[in-house]
Amino acid sequence: MSRNGTATAAPPVIAAPDFKKLDNDINRPLESFPTLRWNIAITITGSLATLFLFCFGYTIFTGIGSWGNNNPVGWGWAITNFVFWIGIGHAGTLISAILYLLRQRWRTAIARCAEAMTVFAVICALQFPLIHTGRPWLAWYWLLPLPNANEIWVNFRSPLLWDVFAVSTYGLVSVLFWYTGLLPDLALARDRAKNTVRKLVYGLLSLGWTGSNRAWRHYEKAYLLFAGLSTPLVLSVHSVVSFDFAVSVIPGWHTTIFPPYFVAGAIFSGFAMVATVIIILRWMFNLQHIITKDHLDVMNRITVATSLMVGYAYLIELFMAWYSGVAYERYAFMNRVMGPYAWAYWTMVSCNVFIPQLLWIRKIRRTILLMYPVVILVNVGMWFERFVIIATSLSRDFLPSSWDYFKPTWVDVGLLAGSMGLFLTLVLIFCRFLPTIAVAETKAHLPGSQPAGGHHE
Amino acid sequence: MTKEVSKNHRSETVGRRMALNGLPSREDTAGLPPQADLHPLSDTVDRRTIMKLMGASAVLAAGLPGCRRKPYRKIVSMADTPEYQHPGKPLYYASTWTEGRTPYGMMIKTLEGRPVKIEGLPGHPLNRGTSNAQIQGSILSLYDPDRLKAPMRGEKTITWEEADQEIMAALKSAGKTVFITRSSLGPAERALIKEFLSASPGARHLVHESFHDGPRRTAWQAIYGEAGTVQTNFAEAKVILSIDSDFLGTDGDVLKTVASFSKSRVVKTGRIDAITEPVSSRLYVAEGAMTVTGSNADHRIVIRPSFALRLVRALGSAIRGETGPLKQAAGKHGWDDKVLLALVQDLKANPGASLVVAGPHLPVAVHAAVCLLNQALGADGKTLSWNPDPHALPVDPPGTIHTALKDGVDLLLLFGVNPVYDWPAGGFDTLIQKAGLSVGHGLYHDETLNACTLALPSTHNLESWNDAHPLPGVHGICQPVIAPLFDARQEAESLLNWLRALKPRTGRPEEPDDWHDRLKKHWQTELLSNADDLEKAWDDALREGIFGQPVTVPLPEPDRKKANALSSMNPPECGDRELVILPHHAVLDGRFANNGWLLEFPDPISKLVWDNAAVIAPETAETLNLSEGDVVEVCTGMHSLVLPVLVQPGTAGGVIVTTLGHGRTRAGRVGNQKGVNCSPILGSGPFAVSPWVMGNAQLKALGKKQTLVRVQKYFSMEDRPIVLHGTAGEFKRNPHFVDLRRHLSEDSQLHDAYDYSKGPKWAMAIDLNTCTGCGVCTIACQAENNIPVVGKKECGMGREMHWIRLDRYHGGDPANPLVYNQPMLCQHCDNAPCESVCPVNATAHSHEGLNEQVYNRCVGTRYCANNCPYKVRRFNFFHYTKENLVDPVQELAYNPQVTVRSRGVMEKCTFCLQRINEQKFKYKNKGEPIPDGAIRPACVQACPAGAMVFGNLNDPNSRITKMKNSPLAYFVLEELNVRPNVSYLAKVRNPHPSLDHLEGKGGHG
């Protein structure tokens, strides 16, 4: 915001000159009947979410055999999806925590949405480690360090256990952070509510928010604390997820670059997903004046920056494989680039490194129809990145006698498509019942909300 | 020891047990047949609670609805605990395997009256405690719910009395009776048949098999002047030449051959200066299809089987000093003349210590020429001896059988044969229809029994009394270890019954009552007559399973003139392509086709499961523009086969190889419609060299694809230190050459190493020099550890469950590769990568160095399998065991000492933990240390080559310690610092010194 002298000058709001209009614009989807656009969208995503539930149940009832997993490739699409969804969540936390701490005010317009997506992405991600186990009916609590009569403890040496802690902490903190930020806006929804049910529900959810000075003071403190708490999580969660691979002995997995590489990739894919969804939402709920092209421009800049990071990681992986002199490592990467999964590798490189370079061009960054294919392809590319890491490494490891090729089944496809459906359905429901944009926070940036002429920080 | 246990006591208590369960009982209605006798290996056991026994037998009884047998006797309540039998304590019985052509000795483990595992009989001269896949699989066939369960007339179940009446009536009036059996019949059975034939003047006994060694025996009979077979002694041979004979795979008395051959392949690693020949034998193999034998060759020459005669003749003249014809033939057919000249030099340099064998499918002339060659090499009397009374009868050619049946017979008895399935040209069912009364007696309601008027169920090998004559001087006994599960009767018992129609009972007391009595009498009069106490002698024979000592019968004087005449019969010219049909490595001629273990037993060479295929060379595939799975029509003139193509390096160009035994239509639920029945084409066309080699075969692509499933898909070692190898020459130059090729890791440890010195430290060693790659270990492990069969589709998805697999790698010339076999099982790493990654601690290391998998705790994250560098962990993607279960009788085949795994858990080799504990407890109770070799996991016990050794590394004198300290020992992937406990002895080939370079680089760089 140029007025405040910040460098990344995306003004938070363009066409909402007064508080009343802002309240109305943001609360309209909550208070009016769903639009046709919303109905069509939820029909599609709801069907996919139903497909997810069906495939979920089918897997539980028939077994992992209904997937394409085989003997060398013990993990297939499920873990690919898990890592993919966990990665998606990173943009939300980054926007709400790190950018908050860095006082990047343009975040205000998209923070709520991105945080919500974090929560939903974690929800989607959590499904996969659970159903990918052979006996989910035991796994869900045997993986937790609960005291038990058998005196069997979990194995603290296992990265999967670290995963349990990392992801559950991340999920929990994300939900709390999101909810804390929602409180003033829930109270607003309560105050605007005209029927009793709405009043009651929003009233309960807003935890008796009065808007008093004291409440605001506590709120600001809590929000800052959560931002501080979430910041290391942005880095730690995906680092720990990457340990699932890095700690193993499998060539292609056993690399020290994984933690930073995974975090960069997660932010990259997270921003792409936020852009993918938000472009639809601003159109669906007529929020173009709040979530502006300036916002998208800034997000695209982050996307291209992180794209370069993952591109660097791809190159350094190849270099290290060659430089290490380890035959297995060299083979693993030659196999990625030229083996039976070369198509997946080159899809990944194209979508993640080559195509995002288009975002250097300002016109593409600011034209919805031009940038949209790019961000969609980044999502595709980042899914393939995880698939390439998991499937190619496992399918050809040490003993050629065991090498085999992984082919997904319809259940695998159903779970992936279904998880997209689940995610988008949750997003749509969120837009319908909760304010998509942080009203209170946005108001703080409106002209006249701060003491005139001064730097309020 | 149970020698003191009186058999009467046992039979009574068994009877009591059944009686207590409220079932009609007779002494032989329970799990144990009455007169069966314990093998001395059975343990003495102490008294335990009776309740478990009753519970177990209730389960047993519930599973055996068909085991009623009349008449009932001795209903006595089980007031005392049987002294010899305790729940969980196995009893062992000696018996003989009669399902195949070679009567190996079996030792059958029974628990609570039911057989659960079969091992080779220790001390049996043929197999010395080892076994083959079919013996291992026999236990599954016993409990096969698809067995014929009662006599049937058409679709209607009848009683044995009705069947007997009908047959006896027919016998009395029959003018012409034809009786067709399999070739392997015991002496007592043969005597019974003889009596039957003499009592029935119009009767004729014919023998049918679709694969046999007829041409070889014809040649031998002509040359040696009497019926019999030539016995080979590989242990004495320094130079061995196999002419298309898979003597390590399917040809002959394989278990005996493998043991003696393997002895000559043990690399001598004693004092270096004293070793002149590190490997005592050199194997040359000239073959058309890559076989197990070929994969063990020091030099392999690719020849077309129809050219075998030319090769043998040329070798004959080369031995006499004329190498011209050999060089000429080599040039003409593209044989490697350097190898052939080296072979000639070797043969000439080792008179009396060389041996030539030829495959049974080759024509008479080849065998005659081989006899001459062997004689010229001085093999007669040295590496060859004679068996005047082979176990298998000579087989009657299909033409003879056809002639006997084509005008119709009054009574046709088909015993244990399946000609409707395997008749050349097919159409045997019309011959059956011409018979007045046709009777099929067999284990299954198969193609033949279905075509017969009466289908009679036979008892299984493990439910039958029989005897055998495995080797000169040795007799074997086959005793039942369980009462017939279904309303089945032994074939000999039936014949004995029907004989009474022709020879009514005399009523004399010495007349045998039933087949058991007759067999006993036969033994007591023919074999045991010198004994003081006939009863005791019989009991002893039963207990030991064998009687007598092997004697070496010298080879009769050969008739050279006849041999020359026979060997000069030229086979027909075979044109560009020939079709070769061999028995399948697992289901043989199809008799084991309903056995899931055997159908899923990967081909030792191609690793193909569940199918047979037209195997062709890569060059043939390229010429004809075919790729794997392309469906082709193979035509030899009259008949054709439609088969998928399998491309196998090492196959001779111009040769199409396929196998018998598949394509069954009435094998049962498991075996039906698996693969293609190749028998109809046998011997067809004008260019048939022998029934199994047919020239001028045409190959035509049909433009269709069929999925063939190989459980191993990549055969290159990728220059990795997986199978380390070298040559005998290298070894002589530097006995520690293996160390130069090992990739050792830094000995770094994150945690302190565990101190294993307090107890035993288990480990295994596998000698890649003696291992032939046959894969019996896979099936033995499957039988011991309740490993489920998963089916073709699941195998195709890469989900086979075998805990031990045979990896095969190619090296050298891609067209004629050198093969390296490697059994791969859990390496029980001390730094196991699987253990650290399991989040729930379901896999952990024991204090004795075992990597243990706790099924109950496993939630199935599969991380352990991902992180296993050897990929030996197996995941239960479905509840395979439950899905395979169609009848409760199948449950009896499970080993109760091993958990049956459910869906969603990981499993893998345990080093047969249950066997380790059994011996540990036994010796702990005795207060003695466990002797070396007392613990043998199933794979180790079955291995015909003795290539695997298991033991305690903390015992400095154990075999395992010695093997681990061998200069050839290495670990696979040891650079990963996972510290495996399975050491391998590097493969040392023994090429001719002038051809040492053919081995290539020798290991990887």
Side-chain angles (χ1 to χ4, degrees):
Chain A
M1 205 154 98
S2 57
R3 191 168 55 88
N4 290 335
T6 28
T8 43
V13 175
I14 287 179
D18 63 277
F19 297 154
K20 182 77 190 161
K21 183 160 182 342
L22 190 71
D23 280 355
N24 288 341
D25 284 352
I26 296 175
N27 280 291
R28 190 177 306 115
L30 281 62
E31 292 164 355
S32 57
F33 281 108
T35 60
L36 181 66
R37 288 174 189 177
W38 190 89
N39 277 332
I40 292 171
I42 198 139
T43 310
I44 298 167
T45 63
S47 311
L48 284 174
T50 314
L51 175 69
F52 180 81
L53 289 179
F54 176 76
C55 291
F56 189 99
Y58 188 83
T59 303
I60 304 256
F61 278 101
T62 56
I64 302 300
S66 58
W67 301 353
N69 298 37
N70 58 28
N71 197 11
V73 189
W75 291 349
W77 277 26
I79 299 298
T80 304
N81 296 346
F82 163 68
V83 182
F84 174 75
W85 283 118
I86 283 285
I88 296 298
H90 278 63
T93 329
L94 183 91
I95 291 166
S96 54
I98 296 183
L99 296 187
Y100 176 78
L101 294 180
L102 295 175
R103 297 283 182 252
Q104 295 293 312
R105 284 212 226 103
W106 59 270
R107 69 176 270 285
T108 312
I110 54 167
R112 169 70 45 75
C113 229
E115 280 172 42
M117 281 186 228
T118 298
V119 173
F120 303 146
V122 172
I123 289 173
C124 286
L126 278 176
Q127 311 303 316
F128 290 102
L130 181 68
I131 45 166
H132 106 285
T133 63
R135 302 201 290 174
W137 47 93
L138 299 171
W140 72 271
Y141 72 99
W142 280 9
L143 280 162
L144 301 174
L146 301 171
N148 59 74
N150 297 327
E151 297 190 350
I152 306 172
W153 207 233
V154 288
N155 181 7
F156 287 102
R157 290 186 301 165
S158 169
L160 284 190
L161 193 76
W162 311 343
D163 243 14
V164 171
F165 296 129
V167 175
S168 56
T169 309
Y170 183 53
L172 214 60
V173 171
S174 299
V175 170
L176 289 174
F177 193 16
W178 180 54
Y179 186 60
T180 310
L182 267 170
L183 279 176
D185 293 1
L186 286 167
L188 176 68
R190 172 198 65 195
D191 297 344
R192 288 167 63 97
K194 295 203 171 63
N195 75 50
T196 354
V197 179
R198 290 181 69 86
K199 228 181 188 70
L200 189 72
V201 172
Y202 287 116
L204 283 173
L205 286 175
S206 57
L207 301 179
W209 178 267
T210 57
S212 69
N213 192 337
R214 215 168 68 129
W216 274 109
R217 242 183 29 239
H218 287 160
Y219 166 82
E220 292 283 359
K221 270 269 154 55
Y223 200 81
L224 188 67
L225 278 175
F226 273 121
L229 197 58
S230 301
T231 301
L233 285 181
V234 176
L235 304 175
S236 73
V237 179
H238 231 56
S239 297
V240 172
V241 169
S242 81
F243 291 160
D244 287 350
F245 308 104
V247 169
S248 78
V249 299
I250 301 300
W253 283 14
H254 185 69
T255 34
T256 44
I257 197 181
F258 264 19
Y261 163 29
F262 267 51
V263 172
I267 294 166
F268 179 50
S269 67
F271 268 86
M273 182 58 94
V274 171
T276 310
V277 175
I278 233 162
I279 287 171
I280 301 287
L281 290 186
R282 66 199 282 277
W283 166 77
M284 188 180 288
F285 299 112
N286 296 315
L287 296 171
Q288 287 95 335
H289 59 297
I290 301 175
I291 304 168
T292 63
K293 283 190 180 160
D294 293 324
H295 292 114
L296 296 173
D297 188 357
V298 180
M299 287 175 68
N300 286 337
R301 287 183 210 182
I302 294 181
T303 307
V304 74
T306 42
S307 156
L308 289 174
M309 289 182 206
V310 296
Y312 170 76
Y314 297 160
L315 286 176
I316 210 77
E317 269 192 325
L318 296 179
F319 170 75
M320 286 312 294
W322 168 78
Y323 186 66
S324 70
V326 179
Y328 306 114
E329 283 292 325
R330 283 187 181 179
Y331 184 88
F333 285 92
M334 287 303 279
N335 181 47
R336 269 187 203 177
V337 179
M338 294 170 12
Y341 286 107
W343 61 272
Y345 182 82
W346 290 107
T347 308
M348 166 189 101
V349 173
S350 309
C351 295
N352 292 352
V353 186
F354 299 152
I355 293 168
Q357 302 313 317
L358 291 170
L359 298 176
W360 286 100
I361 303 163
R362 186 180 153 87
K363 187 163 164 49
I364 296 179
R365 282 205 307 275
R366 301 185 68 88
T367 314
I368 301 287
L369 284 179
L370 292 178
M371 78 162 106
Y372 203 64
V374 177
V375 294
I376 291 276
L377 286 176
V378 171
N379 286 318
V380 173
M382 281 310 292
W383 185 89
F384 268 103
E385 180 191 298
R386 280 61 178 252
F387 175 74
V388 165
I389 291 170
I390 293 170
T392 61
S393 310
L394 286 176
S395 72
R396 292 189 166 190
D397 65 341
F398 293 100
L399 299 186
S401 62
S402 301
W403 291 357
D404 210 339
Y405 194 77
F406 169 89
K407 271 186 270 185
T409 63
W410 66 267
V411 186
D412 285 311
V413 179
L415 282 171
L416 174 61
S419 68
M420 298 277 175
L422 177 66
F423 175 75
L424 294 173
T425 306
L426 291 171
V427 170
L428 286 171
I429 292 174
F430 153 73
C431 298
R432 174 79 181 82
F433 294 105
L434 293 171
T436 335
I437 289 161
V439 188
E441 222 177 288
T442 312
K443 278 179 185 164
H445 300 306
L446 284 185
S449 60
Q450 304 291 345
H455 294 265
H456 73 287
E457 284 104 331
Chain B
M1 279 296 160
T2 48
K3 274 186 181 173
E4 304 84 68
V5 175
S6 94
K7 84 182 163 57
N8 288 337
H9 181 187
R10 200 183 64 250
S11 343
E12 276 170 31
T13 43
V14 169
R16 285 172 207 161
R17 193 183 78 204
M18 297 303 283
L20 261 189
N21 286 310
L23 283 170
S25 180
R26 197 190 83 151
E27 58 176 333
D28 57 348
T29 53
L32 292 170
Q35 303 89 344
D37 215 338
L38 288 170
H39 189 270
L41 274 194
S42 296
D43 269 346
T44 19
V45 287
D46 41 46
R47 286 170 187 270
R48 300 280 295 173
T49 168
I50 196 166
M51 295 309 288
K52 280 188 189 168
L53 177 65
M54 289 169 59
S57 43
V59 171
L60 186 68
L64 312 175
C67 71
R68 288 176 64 244
R69 259 185 118 197
K70 284 183 279 186
Y72 309 144
R73 287 185 245 164
K74 287 191 187 173
I75 300 180
V76 188
S77 75
M78 189 159 65
D80 305 313
T81 312
E83 238 174 326
Y84 57 92
Q85 192 175 57
H86 290 274
K89 288 272 183 183
L91 299 178
Y92 293 91
Y93 293 87
S95 188
T96 296
W97 185 57
T98 57
E99 291 177 289
R101 289 172 60 80
T102 309
Y104 297 117
M106 297 195 288
M107 172 116 95
I108 301 146
K109 174 181 170 185
T110 69
L111 275 161
E112 284 92 59
R114 69 181 159 105
V116 290
K117 180 77 173 43
I118 308 175
E119 305 295 353
L121 182 64
H124 193 281
L126 278 176
N127 56 325
R128 290 188 167 78
T130 70
S131 49
N132 60 22
Q134 292 78 24
I135 293 178
Q136 293 294 337
S138 198
I139 206 87
L140 194 67
S141 298
L142 168 69
Y143 299 113
D144 188 345
D146 292 341
R147 280 174 58 185
L148 179 57
K149 292 175 182 161
M152 291 181 80
R153 187 178 219 295
E155 293 301 306
K156 198 171 140 261
T157 303
I158 55 172
T159 63
W160 276 103
E161 285 75 19
E162 288 171 275
D164 283 350
Q165 271 168 19
E166 193 167 347
I167 293 160
M168 284 159 91
L171 260 180
K172 275 182 199 150
S173 62
K176 233 168 118 187
T177 301
V178 169
F179 178 50
I180 304 178
T181 66
R182 287 217 288 246
S183 67
S184 49
L185 293 173
E189 275 180 326
R190 289 190 210 174
L192 175 64
I193 291 169
K194 219 167 149 190
E195 191 181 336
F196 183 83
L197 295 179
S198 67
S200 160
R204 208 168 154 200
H205 175 211
L206 296 166
V207 177
H208 170 68
E209 297 264 352
S210 63
F211 195 87
H212 52 90
D213 55 356
R216 200 154 66 182
R217 283 168 78 162
T218 310
W220 290 339
Q221 177 151 18
I223 294 165
Y224 297 110
E226 54 176 294
T229 53
V230 174
Q231 301 279 305
T232 47
N233 184 357
F234 284 84
E236 298 296 317
K238 286 190 167 158
V239 182
I240 302 160
L241 169 63
S242 155
I243 310 280
D244 224 20
S245 162
D246 188 9
F247 64 84
L248 300 175
T250 50
D251 181 16
D253 304 341
V254 176
L255 295 179
K256 180 166 168 274
T257 318
V258 169
S260 61
F261 173 72
S262 294
K263 244 179 241 148
S264 72
R265 304 301 298 189
V266 176
V267 182
K268 296 181 193 71
T269 55
R271 272 184 45 230
I272 300 311
D273 46 338
I275 298 167
T276 49
E277 283 180 328
V279 181
S280 68
S281 75
R282 182 167 300 139
L283 172 63
Y284 292 84
V285 177
E287 62 182 8
M290 176 71 91
T291 63
V292 173
T293 310
S295 77
N296 285 281
D298 294 307
H299 290 295
R300 186 172 176 274
I301 309 146
V302 182
I303 64 156
R304 283 173 54 175
S306 62
F307 295 158
L309 186 58
R310 297 179 198 187
L311 176 64
V312 181
R313 277 187 196 154
L315 282 173
S317 45
I319 299 290
R320 289 192 299 273
E322 282 177 63
T323 50
L326 186 63
K327 283 180 183 159
Q328 205 185 353
K332 192 174 164 202
H333 301 304
W335 301 335
D336 191 337
D337 56 348
K338 283 196 207 79
V339 172
L340 287 172
L341 291 173
L343 164 66
V344 171
Q345 196 199 336
D346 262 343
L347 290 173
K348 281 164 92 174
N350 289 286
S354 44
L355 181 57
V356 184
V357 288
H361 54 285
L362 297 174
V364 177
V366 175
H367 296 293
V370 165
C371 283
L372 286 169
L373 192 55
N374 269 328
Q375 213 205 356
L377 295 170
D380 291 17
K382 296 277 176 47
T383 52
L384 297 177
S385 61
W386 187 244
N387 181 358
D389 183 22
H391 179 72
L393 292 167
V395 171
D396 293 294
T400 312
I401 298 177
H402 187 265
T403 315
L405 299 181
K406 70 173 193 290
D407 300 323
V409 291
D410 298 314
L411 179 59
L412 175 61
L413 300 171
L414 299 161
F415 276 25
V417 287
N418 192 0
V420 174
Y421 160 72
D422 63 18
W423 196 247
F428 195 84
D429 43 348
T430 55
L431 292 177
I432 290 182
Q433 278 154 18
K434 283 182 187 161
L437 177 65
S438 53
V439 181
H441 213 314
L443 206 55
Y444 293 91
H445 203 193
D446 58 19
E447 294 85 346
T448 301
L449 262 65
N450 188 47
C452 289
T453 322
L454 292 176
L456 307 178
S458 300
T459 52
H460 185 264
N461 196 164
L462 302 183
E463 303 164 330
S464 306
W465 283 105
N466 221 324
D467 67 345
H469 192 190
L471 280 176
V474 182
H475 287 261
I477 247 189
C478 167
Q479 63 174 330
V481 288
I482 189 166
L485 292 167
F486 308 115
D487 193 8
R489 192 167 73 184
Q490 201 176 334
E491 290 150 15
E493 190 87 66
S494 290
L495 202 59
L496 190 63
N497 252 0
W498 302 336
L499 186 60
R500 303 231 166 94
L502 306 167
K503 271 173 82 176
R505 297 188 65 148
T506 54
R508 286 203 299 272
E510 70 272 18
E511 191 181 44
D513 206 20
D514 56 11
W515 170 240
H516 160 257
D517 293 351
R518 190 185 156 100
L519 180 75
K520 186 172 162 187
K521 197 157 187 295
H522 177 84
W523 270 61
Q524 286 175 340
T525 49
E526 302 282 324
L527 299 168
L528 311 169
S529 51
N530 291 336
D532 302 329
D533 181 347
L534 278 180
E535 281 301 312
K536 188 178 171 299
W538 168 247
D539 281 356
D540 288 347
L542 267 188
R543 190 157 45 237
E544 301 297 335
I546 44 168
F547 175 78
Q549 288 299 321
V551 289
T552 308
V553 183
L555 216 54
E557 194 54 41
D559 185 338
R560 290 183 55 91
K561 243 165 80 189
K562 266 193 184 150
N564 272 321
L566 281 177
S567 70
S568 59
M569 296 190 309
N570 278 326
E573 284 297 321
C574 279
D576 287 342
R577 264 180 212 101
E578 63 201 64
L579 173 66
V580 181
I581 301 185
L582 299 171
H584 187 257
H585 73 282
V587 300
L588 303 183
D589 56 4
R591 66 185 73 174
F592 302 106
N594 203 43
N595 190 311
W597 294 350
L598 296 178
L599 283 167
E600 207 164 285
F601 176 23
D603 183 292
I605 298 302
S606 66
K607 306 293 168 194
L608 182 71
V609 289
W610 288 98
D611 271 309
N612 58 346
V615 180
I616 56 173
E619 54 170 278
T620 314
E622 209 175 304
T623 320
L624 297 172
N625 197 18
L626 291 169
S627 60
E628 185 139 332
D630 280 341
V631 179
V632 291
E633 187 179 32
V634 186
C635 185
T636 57
M638 302 277 285
H639 295 275
S640 64
L641 295 173
V642 176
L643 280 164
V645 158
L646 184 139
V647 183
Q648 176 60 50
T651 313
V655 171
I656 306 153
V657 191
T658 186
T659 51
L660 296 170
H662 280 82
R664 294 283 306 269
T665 51
R666 289 189 63 90
R669 276 168 278 205
V670 182
N672 282 347
Q673 317 296 349
K674 300 288 185 312
V676 177
N677 180 6
C678 295
S679 340
I681 206 169
L682 286 176
S684 76
F687 303 100
V689 176
S690 82
W692 308 280
V693 181
M694 285 145 279
N696 274 341
Q698 307 297 317
L699 203 61
K700 197 173 83 194
L702 297 182
K704 281 186 288 189
K705 273 270 181 194
Q706 189 190 321
T707 315
L708 287 177
V709 174
R710 299 198 199 205
V711 294
Q712 182 183 345
K713 297 176 179 75
Y714 298 89
F715 298 96
S716 154
M717 233 184 289
E718 300 286 338
D719 275 341
R720 295 174 178 187
I722 299 170
V723 178
L724 296 189
H725 53 94
T727 62
E730 270 177 285
F731 181 77
K732 246 162 71 180
R733 283 193 294 278
N734 177 11
H736 295 277
F737 77 96
V738 171
D739 287 345
L740 304 175
R741 289 175 195 160
R742 288 173 73 169
H743 286 205
L744 299 167
S745 68
E746 270 178 60
D747 197 24
S748 60
Q749 284 273 71
L750 198 56
H751 315 280
D752 288 339
Y754 184 82
D755 178 15
Y756 291 104
S757 62
K758 290 182 195 85
K761 173 79 163 68
W762 305 121
M764 188 182 276
I766 300 175
D767 188 347
L768 297 177
N769 296 295
T770 49
C771 169
T772 63
C774 67
V776 172
C777 44
T778 304
I779 305 301
C781 173
Q782 187 155 29
E784 170 76 12
N785 291 303
N786 300 331
I787 297 171
V789 172
V790 300
K792 180 181 170 183
K793 183 167 166 266
E794 288 291 293
C795 283
M797 302 215 27
R799 294 169 180 174
E800 65 280 356
M801 296 298 286
H802 298 142
W803 286 1
I804 178 169
R805 60 173 198 259
L806 246 297
D807 286 351
R808 179 172 61 84
Y809 298 103
H810 287 167
D813 176 12
N816 180 17
L818 286 167
V819 175
Y820 303 95
N821 294 309
Q822 184 174 49
M824 185 48 71
L825 67 163
C826 175
Q827 307 283 301
H828 293 266
C829 312
D830 283 343
N831 262 353
C834 52
E835 289 169 13
S836 61
V837 298
C838 175
V840 292
N841 270 328
T843 182
H845 224 60
S846 84
H847 303 293
E848 299 173 356
L850 299 178
N851 171 260
E852 294 176 339
Q853 178 72 21
V854 188
Y855 307 126
N856 279 352
R857 178 68 178 168
C858 177
V859 297
T861 65
R862 302 186 296 289
Y863 198 174
C864 53
N866 286 347
N867 211 23
C868 171
Y870 308 93
K871 289 287 172 281
V872 289
R873 290 181 154 261
R874 296 286 180 261
F875 184 67
N876 286 277
F877 284 97
F878 291 113
H879 199 326
Y880 295 113
T881 307
K882 200 162 139 192
E883 283 168 18
N884 289 343
L885 194 71
V886 292
D887 191 303
V889 73
Q890 289 170 281
E891 289 177 334
L892 300 178
Y894 303 147
N895 181 355
Q897 293 170 332
V898 177
T899 312
V900 173
R901 281 79 61 189
S902 69
R903 194 190 103 195
V905 301
M906 192 60 74
E907 60 183 67
K908 51 140 216 118
C909 160
T910 65
F911 271 170
C912 287
L913 190 57
Q914 67 282 2
R915 291 185 176 214
I916 297 176
N917 286 339
E918 193 177 7
Q919 298 301 321
K920 257 168 69 183
F921 299 157
K922 177 173 160 185
Y923 285 97
K924 193 173 183 187
N925 286 339
K926 284 187 178 177
E928 295 168 14
I930 307 169
D932 187 35
I935 302 172
R936 283 184 301 165
C939 51
V940 175
Q941 187 165 28
C943 179
M948 307 170 97
V949 170
F950 181 83
N952 178 6
L953 277 183
N954 284 344
D955 174 358
N957 299 317
S958 64
R959 274 187 75 199
I960 180 79
T961 309
K962 285 183 186 133
M963 274 177 89
K964 200 193 161 204
N965 295 332
S966 154
L968 292 173
Y970 73 100
F971 297 107
V972 178
L973 301 176
E974 54 195 319
E975 66 267 45
L976 298 178
N977 198 25
V978 293
R979 301 189 171 188
N981 273 316
V982 179
S983 25
Y984 291 85
L985 299 199
K987 173 94 176 166
V988 177
R989 279 212 149 83
N990 187 22
H992 191 275
S994 70
L995 300 168
D996 205 342
H997 60 279
L998 288 185
E999 168 78 357
K1001 273 194 299 176
H1004 81 121

